[in-house]
Amino acid sequence: MKNISWAALGLVLAITSCTKEEVKFYDGKDRIQFSKLGVGTSARYIDSADFSFAAKGDLLVDTVFLPVDVTGRTASVDREFKVEFDAKGSNAVPGQDFDFGKCVIKAGSFKGVFPLILRKTKDLETIRKTVAFNIATNDAFEVGIGTQLKSKVAFFNFMVKPVDWELRMARFFGVYSKEKHRFVLYHLGFPEINYAATLAAEDPSKYIFGGTKFAYFQLKLRSLLDDLNSGAIKPAANDPFTYPLKDENGITIIFP
């Protein structure tokens, strides 16, 4: 009987403990933070990103969408969250180089995006501008995990060779040139492209892809460029390139 009584008491205490923890969790405001890269145990938080206008043709304004996560509960109405400009970590000027879009978590959702509106100015052809920002408290949300509250975006109007090009990307895209890089980004419709070290690290929302996707890109771009270079198809009216496509040294560009 004593064993049964102690077991019953333990069960009651366990239930009481769970109830208290649950009340404690839901007593506070819901919280918000920038999202991690990828999913699962290998997910990591990346606090910076690069954006180049060089592959965007004549586009003068573009928007980068940074994903955010809510911890807590969903709501039956849309809720705005707050992002603050960090002047100390920035050399870009609000209202001139960039603007913040409306930050909203839709009703019933745990996820949203922070829209960062970037403008292409003349000085971006020679310098990188950086805008830094952080999640802040407002009436709807407290801040979330401390390591996922700050972020920054560097933007410019020239090509920067991806760090993984020689090691991983060259087998699909061949020898690097700025003009080939521009062609890749323009015709894939990406502001950047990166190679995922593992399958778990793939994240198309951040333009990070694995080998299978790169193989598809290779076939698509090779076929397209062959047809454009040979004149089998005509470039679109807004295509910014001259064909046959040549690199900075006047050599015709091809894909492996």
Side-chain angles (χ1 to χ4, degrees):
M1 288 296 291
K2 286 183 180 179
N3 289 340
I4 294 174
S5 297
W6 279 113
L9 178 59
L11 181 60
V12 170
L13 289 174
I15 293 172
T16 303
S17 175
C18 290
T19 303
K20 285 182 178 178
E21 285 298 314
E22 193 171 327
V23 170
K24 182 179 179 181
F25 179 78
Y26 286 117
D27 271 348
K29 287 183 180 177
D30 300 322
R31 298 178 180 271
I32 193 163
Q33 66 227 13
F34 288 115
S35 304
K36 281 188 175 183
L37 170 65
V39 295
T41 56
S42 64
R44 56 198 176 100
Y45 179 60
I46 304 297
D47 66 356
S48 60
D50 286 350
F51 178 92
S52 176
F53 277 100
K56 294 290 189 174
D58 296 329
L59 192 66
L60 297 177
V61 179
D62 205 354
T63 303
V64 176
F65 296 94
L66 290 91
V68 297
D69 295 321
V70 171
T71 58
R73 299 154 294 190
T74 62
S76 59
V77 295
D78 292 354
R79 293 178 289 176
E80 291 191 22
F81 62 95
K82 185 178 181 181
V83 176
E84 290 183 333
F85 173 58
D86 176 8
K88 290 183 179 179
S90 306
N91 64 349
V93 179
Q96 175 180 307
D97 299 314
F98 72 90
D99 284 302
F100 290 173
K102 192 171 184 179
C103 305
V104 176
I105 301 296
K106 292 290 188 182
S109 179
F110 287 105
K111 293 185 176 292
V113 293
F114 161 54
L116 175 63
I117 304 163
L118 303 176
R119 294 191 176 92
K120 182 169 71 174
T121 56
K122 182 67 176 175
D123 48 1
L124 291 181
E125 295 178 5
T126 55
I127 65 172
R128 295 164 63 100
K129 291 200 174 181
T130 300
V131 51
F133 40 87
N134 53 271
I135 300 281
T137 300
N138 69 352
D139 291 339
F141 296 102
E142 295 283 357
V143 295
I145 298 172
T147 55
Q148 291 175 226
L149 301 180
K150 296 180 180 293
S151 189
K152 60 184 176 182
V153 173
F155 54 110
F156 39 89
N157 190 22
F158 49 85
M159 302 309 304
V160 176
K161 184 178 181 179
V163 294
D164 283 329
W165 188 288
E166 298 298 340
L167 184 63
R168 296 185 176 94
M169 295 166 63
R171 61 180 286 210
F172 303 103
F173 293 164
V175 177
Y176 180 82
S177 73
K178 291 183 179 180
E179 195 69 357
K180 178 184 280 186
H181 191 184
R182 286 182 64 231
F183 179 87
V184 168
L185 298 184
Y186 180 83
H187 284 286
L188 292 180
F190 302 155
E192 61 177 301
I193 189 166
N194 304 285
Y195 196 97
T198 65
L199 183 62
E202 279 196 291
D203 188 345
S205 71
K206 292 184 180 293
Y207 311 104
I208 300 175
F209 306 96
T212 301
K213 201 67 176 176
F214 266 89
Y216 164 73
F217 294 152
Q218 176 190 24
L219 292 174
K220 175 181 177 178
L221 293 169
R222 182 172 62 199
S223 175
L224 175 63
L225 185 57
D226 285 349
D227 287 344
L228 287 167
N229 279 347
S230 67
I233 62 173
K234 293 186 185 239
N238 59 346
D239 190 317
F241 302 98
T242 300
Y243 301 98
L245 188 65
K246 298 183 184 298
D247 66 15
E248 300 89 288
N249 299 311
I251 299 172
T252 299
I253 293 173
I254 60 171
F255 286 87

